[in-house]
Structures are given as structure tokens and as C-alpha cells.
Amino acid sequence: MDTRDWPIRAKLTALVVTPVAALLALWIFATTLTFGPALDLLSARTLLYDLGRPGERVVAELQRERRASVVQLSTPGTLPGLAEQRTRTDAAVAELRRRIGGDQLRDAADGRLDARLDALVAALDALPAGRGFIDRRQVDRVGAIGLYTGIVSSAFQAFSAMATLPDPDLNREALALTALGRARELLGQTDALLAGALTIGRFAEGEHLRLVQTIGNERFVAESAVADLPAPDRSAYQRLIEGDDFVRLRGMQEALLRANPSARPPVDARVWQTSHDAVQQRLREFELGEADGLADRSVPVAVGILVRLGVAGVLGLVAIVVSILVAVRVGRTLARRLTGVRTAVLEMAEHRLPDVVARLRRGEQVDVAREAPPLEYGGDEIGEVGRAFNEVRRTAVRAAVDEVTLRRGLNEVFLNLARRSQGLVHRQLALLDRMERRTEDPDELAELFRVDHLATRLRRHAEDLVILAGAAPGRGWRHPVAVLDVVRGAVSEVEAYDRVDIGTVQPAGVLGRAVADVIHLLAELIENATAFSPPETRVEVTGEQVPKGYAVEITDHGLGMSSQAVEDANRRLARPPEFDPADSARLGLFVVARLAARHGVRVTLCAEAPGGVTAVVLVPANLVTAEPPVAPPAAERSAAPVARLATLPRPRTARTRERPDQTVLPFAPARTSSVEAATDGDGLPRRVRRRGAPARPRPPAPADAPAVRSPEEVRRQMSALQAGTARGRRDGAAIHPVSPGHPDGTTVPAGGRPEGRDGGSEPSPPADPVPTPDPLTATERDA
């Protein structure tokens, strides 16, 4: 039986119940052993009056019937008094049978006495058959004597079984009285043998020898029995046998012992009969008196045993009750103390320590002494365990404080680096905007647009660091923005934007305070869709109004996710976990969850058949407004920067893709120069290639140069340009080490004049403060 997993209360209960049950069983056993003898003593009177007296009467009547039967067998006729004697014997036997069949005697008798009683009843059942043999003279005198002697012996065996008293003195006296009865029975056998011999005037063959043996046995048994009697009883018996009848009977026995076996017995029949009957009567009265005295003396002994039993039983019961009370009290104390330790441990592990960590992460100050107060559990082993747990608890709280402090420091480092990167990216975007305004060459302008796209992605990754640090990005809008423009803005921040198809997007707007985070959220989901799907597949984005807000669906046809992975991802999206640096593979999922939790946006992933995943973004109704009007064209915006054309429509097509004759610039600033700004019917500016002004002729292009560059060729050229720029920076850093005083990364040559990031002699523009986030249009930025 394995008890290691038992509750502490069950173990303590087992420890208490086992010894108490053993003590209780021992008490019951001892009480039973003591109570049994007391009951035996109390039942002695029952045995005497229900078996002793009726049985003694049956023995006396059988002795008389035996003598009469021997006399009848010694004469040729019928003895007149035999029938009357048989009637008295039958009456005594009937009374004995009634007592033996009663419940009172059987309840008081043990197993041994029950067996002896059954044997006595069986012997009495054989009496009628023996009488028939005698009446038909089918037995001689010795056989008749043996028939009655067997029945009388069964009765004395039952009397011997009564002598099982627990008190040794009483039991010895009871056995002595039974032996005196056997001696009296032997005297009766002598009388029967002598009665037959006196009737015919001589001893039959072997009768004299049997007579001598019976007289010797009677004297031996009587002397042995008297020796076991108490001194007063021995004195009384001695006075009894000194009487005239006993002396006369003893003299006649002596004469019989010396008589000639073939001659007539040398005693007078009348004198023998008178002396024998007198001795038998006095011996019977002596036995009955001693038996009554024995029964009377057994009652006080039984009462004394019961009194001692009661005292011992009460004391034992008190000891058991005290043991139970002490065991229960100690067990409950141990259980309560151990339960207190367990409760304190669970409270610390499940409530207080997580609460302390949560408060520390919220920036609250935590007092270790107050959060981990010492708990007193006494001075024993449980108290030592409690004190050890106090130390463990204080160490755990201090470790939590140190961990949260370290995490907070790391977040500050991340936030500091992210803010620096974010500021540099904004400066880079501002620089690219100025360069785009000054550039007249369409090819160079296209390259600048691609660099602008890379910078936009860099800005999103910098914002990821800000989000990981627990802060909010700096971008924001004051006015609502159309959902279609938000989707296009998100697509513009994805590397494989040319694989994204914008489907049907129902008209609606997003409040300005949530525009940046929704764009970032959609961009993360769209980039995941393009990253985990084959390059030849398309990613579809649609949007529609729903009762609870606005739903944007992003569907890819890629590798897909298992049901368990989808369930795990949805659980993370619903309840954003703490950022774990070891789980960097799910960084985008963590960013999406943080952004969604900030505005109550609900993001759900669904597996598509046969492959792919659909991400459903539900923007709550409190962030959704009516779609704002389209901003005026660039030419009009330059004259009236804040003007809006409320009547200008925002057409939607089933799919928006880049055309080879124009470059899409979502959220790019509009500019009037040698490159026209065209709305293309959707309200967003697009760069259209055209020749520059005649005053500044461009060198002719080679004859084999393609008229239009493909996106792949432009991407390869930009990669080569980026690699060359990085190599130049490394070479420049080896020649001109970076000065420690320039956080923006400019280098200082030997002459002391700072150079630009590309190693040129033109200094970089001064560090501007972090600008307002890039708006959807130039007019929105100015607003």
C-alpha cells in the first residue's frame, strides 16, 4: 500500500487510529477474559440446581433400581418392588431431560459440558432396552450391574464437566465433591453385588473378586477426595465417618474381604441393608450441603471479579478516551500547522508572488519586508520548516524584484535604442523626402522611392522594439483615416507588397489615435502571410462592416497551420503573454497581440483548406467612423495646405497592383516638378515618369538600355548599392574612427571636419527632433 500520496490528515488519522484501535482491541480482549470467568462463577448456581440436584436424584434412583434388578435376577420369580422403583426412576429421568433441554442450562454450559450432556441423554435412552434384557433374563447379575453402572458413569462425567470454575480453590473443592459422589457410587455397586450373593446364599464365580476390587476403589477414591476438601470440610467428613453406621459398615466390609469366596457371605443381610442405607443418606446429605456451600461461596468471588473487572474496564476506557483525545488534539494541531504552512506556500506561489511581479512590472514600489512577513510556526521541526520557507519566500520576492528590475532595465535599453533608431529613421525619411523633391531624373526618383520603402520598413521594426519595451510608438494622427488608406499604408510597409491584392474594402474610417497601431498590426499580419506562402501565390486583403465593428481579412495560400498551432496562437492573441526573449520566433505574434490589446482589437486565425491561413482583424466599433473625404490634388494642396475636397470620390477596385509605367508611393509626399502627381482616381499620389526640363538636358541613355526597369532589376541594383555603401562605411571606419561624441554615427577625419554617413565631405544635416509621424498625404502631415 503506497501512502506517499495520502493527505496529511489521512496519515495523521492512520497514526492515531491504529494504536487506539489496538488499545481498544486489547481492552476488549482483557475484559472478555475477565468477564468470562465471572459469568462462570455466577452460572455455578445454575449448573448446581439445573444439573447437579436432578442428576444426583437420577443416580440415586438408578442405584436402587440396580440393586432391585440384581435381586430379581437372583430369584426365579418377579420382585414386587422393581416396577415401583422403575416408576420413580423414570420420573427422575424425565425431570433431568427437561432441565437438560432447557435454554438456561445450555446457555450456562460450555462446549465440553454440552458434549457430556448429550452422552448422558444417549445413555438414558438405552435404559428401556436394558430393562428388557433383565426382564427376559438375558443377562446375569454382573451384566445388569454393568448396565446401570454405565448410565451412572455418564452422569458423573457430566458432573465432572461442571467443575470448570475460574477460582482454583472452588474448582478443587468441586472436583473433590464429585469424587466423593463416585466413592458413594462404588459403595452402591458393593451393595448390589452383596445383595445378589445374599439372596442365593453364595457368591457367583468372580463376584467376590469384583467385590474386593470395588471396596478397595471406594476407599481409595474417598480418601483422595477428602484430601482436596478444605480443612473444615475434612473435619466434618471425619466426624461423619466416625459414626456408628459407618463403623459398622466398615467392619462388615472387612469381614467380606476376609470371607471364603465359595462360602456364604459372613454378614447379616438386614444389618447390612440398614447400615448401607444410612451411610448412603448421610454421604448424600454431606455432598449436597457442600455443593450448596460451594455455590454460595462462588457468588462473592464472582462479584469481586466483576468489581475488579468494572474498575479495570473503566480505567481502561478512560485510558482509551484520554489516548483518543490526546491523539486527536495533537493530530489536529499538527494538521493545522502543516495546513498553515501549505496554505502560506500556495498563497505565495499562486497569489502574492505573481501579484508582486505584476505590481513591479506596472512600475510600483514593493517593500520586501511587508510582502514577505515572517510566519511563526513554533520551535519544533515544523517551525524550522516555516522559518526555512520564510527565507525562501523572502529570497523569491527579492529575486522577483531583481528580475523585474533587470527586465525594466533591459526594456529601458530597448526603448532607448529603439528611440534612437526611430529618430534616425525619421531623419532619413525627411532627408529622402527632400532628395525626392530635388530630383528630376525619373530613374533616380524610382531608386529613392525604393529606399524610402526600405526606410519605412525600418521604421516599423524600430517601433517593434518600442512595443517590446512596453511603450507606445510616437506616430499618430489627429483626424480619422479611411480604412482603404490604412490597408494601403500597411501594404506599403511590407517587403513583398507586389504580391498583395486589395480586394473589396467597404467604406469606413479609423480614429486617428489608432491609425498607426492598426497599420502596424496589419503590416505584421500581411508580412507573415507573404513570408509563409510560396512566392507565386497572392495574398488577399478585404474589409467589411460587421455588427461589432469593422473586420479586415488577410488570406494567404501557403503552408498553413495545424489545429493545435492555431489554437495556441489564438490564445496568445487573446491574452498577450509577457515577452520572453527565448521565444523570438513568435516576435511578430507578440507585437500583434500587444497592439490588439492596446485598442481592444480582436485578432483571430483560421486554417483554410487545403492550405493557408486567414487572419481576421476585428476593429471595435468605438474606433470606427464614417469614411473621411478624399484630400485635394497636389497642385491645389500647395496653394491651400489645409483644404479638403469633400466631394472628391475614393474609387475602389477589386485589385490594386503596380503598373510598369508608374510607381506606387503610399503615404509618400506629393511634389510638383518634372514628375507629375496623378490621383489615378483613388486619391493617392502616384509618380509618373516624364522627361526633365530642357534647361537641364540629361545625357542620352544607351541604345540597348530598356525603356522600363522591372522591379526585380531595381531590387538587384538596390542590393548592390546597399552592399557597396556598407563596404564603403567599413573602409571609412578603418581610416577615420568614429568619434565618441557623435551618437548619429558621423565620422571625424584627421582635419576635424565631420563627414556624412556615406563618407563624403558634405556634412550630415543636424539632428532634428522626432517629427510627427508620416501622414497619409502631405496635407495630412501639415494638418
Side-chain angles (χ1 to χ4, degrees):
M1 181 175 58
D2 188 7
T3 60
R4 291 179 298 178
D5 297 333
W6 286 14
I8 189 63
R9 290 187 179 274
K11 294 179 181 179
L12 292 176
T13 301
L15 291 176
V16 170
V17 168
T18 302
V20 171
L23 181 60
L24 181 61
L26 183 61
W27 176 77
I28 294 175
F29 179 72
T31 303
T32 304
L33 288 181
T34 309
F35 191 67
L39 291 179
D40 293 339
L41 288 173
L42 292 177
S43 64
R45 182 177 292 275
T46 301
L47 295 177
L48 175 63
Y49 290 104
D50 286 350
L51 178 61
R53 288 187 178 276
E56 190 277 334
R57 181 186 174 192
V58 169
V59 169
E61 298 298 337
L62 286 174
Q63 290 173 349
R64 296 187 184 98
E65 184 176 344
R66 178 178 57 191
R67 185 179 186 281
S69 298
V70 171
V71 171
Q72 179 173 328
L73 290 175
S74 300
T75 59
T78 300
L79 187 66
L82 180 58
E84 183 180 354
Q85 180 58 45
R86 287 179 177 178
T87 302
R88 290 194 296 269
T89 302
D90 290 340
V93 170
E95 177 64 18
L96 180 61
R97 286 179 181 272
R98 186 182 67 81
R99 295 296 183 93
I100 291 176
D103 295 335
Q104 189 173 2
L105 177 59
R106 290 290 185 174
D107 292 340
D110 55 4
R112 180 186 176 197
L113 182 56
D114 282 336
R116 298 288 176 85
L117 291 176
D118 294 337
L120 175 60
V121 172
L124 291 174
D125 292 338
L127 180 60
R131 289 173 176 174
F133 290 128
I134 293 173
D135 292 340
R136 293 188 298 269
R137 297 181 182 275
Q138 294 178 349
V139 294
D140 56 4
R141 290 177 295 180
V142 176
I145 292 174
L147 172 66
Y148 288 97
T149 300
I151 299 175
V152 173
S153 297
S154 298
F156 275 103
Q157 289 177 359
F159 297 158
S160 299
M162 292 170 53
T164 56
L165 301 177
D167 187 81
D169 295 334
L170 296 177
N171 194 60
R172 184 170 57 252
E173 185 176 353
L175 292 176
L177 291 176
T178 303
L180 283 177
R182 288 182 179 274
R184 188 163 55 86
E185 159 60 13
L186 291 173
L187 182 60
Q189 294 179 20
T190 303
D191 177 62
L193 287 171
L194 185 60
L198 290 174
T199 302
I200 62 175
R202 60 183 176 80
F203 289 104
E205 184 179 359
E207 285 186 347
H208 184 268
L209 179 60
R210 187 179 182 88
L211 179 66
V212 172
Q213 293 175 347
T214 303
I215 293 174
N217 291 336
E218 181 262 331
R219 291 180 177 181
F220 175 77
V221 172
E223 291 176 1
S224 300
V226 171
D228 290 334
L229 290 176
D233 297 336
R234 285 198 302 269
S235 300
Y237 183 80
Q238 189 65 32
R239 289 192 299 270
L240 178 66
I241 63 177
E242 291 176 355
D244 295 339
D245 295 329
F246 280 90
V247 173
R248 190 181 304 113
L249 186 63
R250 178 65 60 91
M252 288 185 287
Q253 286 179 342
E254 293 294 334
L256 290 172
L257 293 175
R258 294 190 300 269
N260 187 1
S262 59
R264 182 180 177 82
V267 293
D268 183 72
R270 187 179 299 275
V271 174
W272 172 267
Q273 185 65 36
T274 303
S275 300
H276 175 268
D277 292 342
V279 169
Q280 283 279 5
Q281 183 64 30
R282 290 180 182 179
L283 286 176
R284 182 169 178 249
E285 291 175 355
F286 178 80
E287 293 173 10
L288 293 178
E290 292 298 323
D292 290 337
L294 180 65
D296 293 339
R297 288 195 301 273
S298 66
V299 173
V301 175
V303 172
I305 293 176
L306 290 178
V307 170
R308 292 194 300 271
L309 174 64
V311 173
V314 171
L315 292 178
L317 186 60
V318 170
I320 291 175
V321 172
V322 171
S323 300
I324 293 176
L325 292 178
V326 172
V328 169
R329 182 177 179 84
V330 173
R332 292 181 62 181
T333 302
L334 291 176
R336 183 171 61 253
R337 295 173 63 191
L338 291 174
T339 302
V341 175
R342 171 181 173 273
T343 303
V345 172
L346 292 179
E347 181 184 2
M348 172 55 64
E350 297 177 359
H351 301 288
R352 303 194 67 172
L353 191 59
D355 180 66
V356 169
V357 174
R359 288 162 54 193
L360 288 170
R361 288 174 179 174
R362 291 195 301 265
E364 300 180 11
Q365 295 295 328
V366 174
D367 186 4
V368 177
R370 187 176 65 85
E371 296 299 332
L375 301 178
E376 297 296 335
Y377 296 103
D380 56 356
E381 289 80 359
I382 298 179
E384 293 178 358
V385 173
R387 288 190 293 273
F389 171 68
N390 289 333
E391 294 299 326
V392 171
R393 184 169 56 175
R394 282 192 290 268
T395 303
V397 173
R398 284 196 296 268
V401 172
D402 296 341
E403 179 187 356
V404 173
T405 303
L406 178 60
R407 185 185 293 269
R408 187 182 301 166
L410 290 177
N411 288 341
E412 292 295 334
V413 172
F414 286 160
L415 185 60
N416 190 11
L417 294 176
R419 291 301 187 190
R420 291 185 180 185
S421 300
Q422 196 176 21
L424 294 176
V425 170
H426 279 292
R427 289 170 56 189
Q428 182 180 5
L429 289 173
L431 178 60
L432 288 173
D433 182 65
R434 289 194 296 271
M435 293 175 65
E436 290 169 3
R437 293 180 182 276
R438 292 195 300 266
T439 301
E440 301 295 339
D441 187 355
D443 295 334
E444 294 180 0
L445 188 59
E447 299 295 338
L448 289 176
F449 289 162
R450 285 170 174 78
V451 175
D452 186 279
H453 178 66
L454 293 175
T456 303
R457 292 174 56 205
L458 287 175
R459 179 180 61 189
R460 179 164 59 86
H461 294 323
E463 290 177 353
D464 287 346
L465 289 177
V466 175
I467 295 172
L468 292 178
R475 289 191 297 164
W477 275 260
R478 292 188 298 272
H479 302 289
V481 178
V483 174
L484 180 60
D485 295 337
V486 171
V487 172
R488 287 174 176 172
V491 173
S492 69
E493 296 187 5
V494 178
E495 179 179 5
Y497 61 89
D498 55 336
R499 291 177 47 207
V500 181
D501 295 337
I502 302 178
T504 302
V505 178
Q506 294 183 0
V510 179
L511 293 181
R513 58 184 172 87
V515 168
D517 291 340
V518 174
I519 291 175
H520 196 151
L521 185 151
L522 295 176
E524 292 288 346
L525 294 175
I526 294 173
E527 186 161 32
N528 278 349
T530 58
F532 293 98
S533 60
E536 66 275 6
T537 60
R538 309 295 299 179
V539 176
E540 300 173 0
V541 182
T542 60
E544 62 178 344
Q545 290 273 6
V546 293
K548 294 184 179 181
Y550 196 92
V552 179
E553 294 186 2
I554 302 168
T555 305
D556 66 78
H557 304 283
L559 303 177
M561 299 172 64
S562 63
S563 58
Q564 182 63 33
V566 171
E567 182 180 355
D568 183 66
N570 286 330
R571 184 172 59 254
R572 288 172 175 264
L573 291 172
R575 293 182 296 274
E578 292 294 331
F579 174 63
D580 186 5
D583 195 12
S584 59
R586 300 178 180 270
L587 187 60
L589 192 66
F590 175 80
V591 172
V592 170
R594 278 288 183 89
L595 293 174
R598 184 177 300 167
H599 298 285
V601 178
R602 183 177 178 183
V603 181
T604 307
L605 302 183
C606 305
E608 294 292 334
V613 176
T614 296
V616 180
V617 180
L618 179 61
V619 182
N622 59 347
L623 299 179
V624 180
T625 63
E627 185 178 68
V630 181
E636 299 181 13
R637 286 198 303 267
S638 61
V642 230
R644 289 181 177 271
L645 294 179
T647 59
L648 188 61
R650 181 180 281 106
R652 287 165 174 79
T653 58
R655 176 174 295 179
T656 302
R657 300 183 62 179
E658 180 181 6
R659 295 195 300 269
D661 59 341
Q662 59 186 13
T663 303
V664 182
L665 284 179
F667 297 97
R671 183 175 65 253
T672 56
S673 63
S674 60
V675 182
E676 292 183 354
T679 61
D680 196 26
D682 59 1
L684 289 177
R686 298 181 184 276
R687 303 299 184 182
V688 182
R689 295 182 180 178
R690 56 174 296 178
R691 293 294 179 183
R696 299 180 58 184
R698 297 175 58 216
D704 56 350
V708 179
R709 299 178 182 177
S710 64
E712 289 76 10
E713 182 181 358
V714 172
R715 187 178 298 110
R716 286 195 299 270
Q717 292 180 357
M718 286 299 299
S719 298
L721 176 62
Q722 183 179 5
T725 303
R727 189 181 306 111
R729 288 177 178 173
R730 288 195 300 270
D731 297 342
I735 299 174
H736 305 288
V738 180
S739 176
H742 296 276
D744 57 351
T746 56
T747 59
V748 181
R753 183 179 179 182
E755 298 179 351
R757 291 183 184 271
D758 55 355
S761 59
E762 182 180 355
S764 299
D768 300 329
V770 178
T772 303
D774 293 338
L776 298 177
T777 61
T779 304
E780 189 66 17
R781 177 195 292 128
D782 297 337

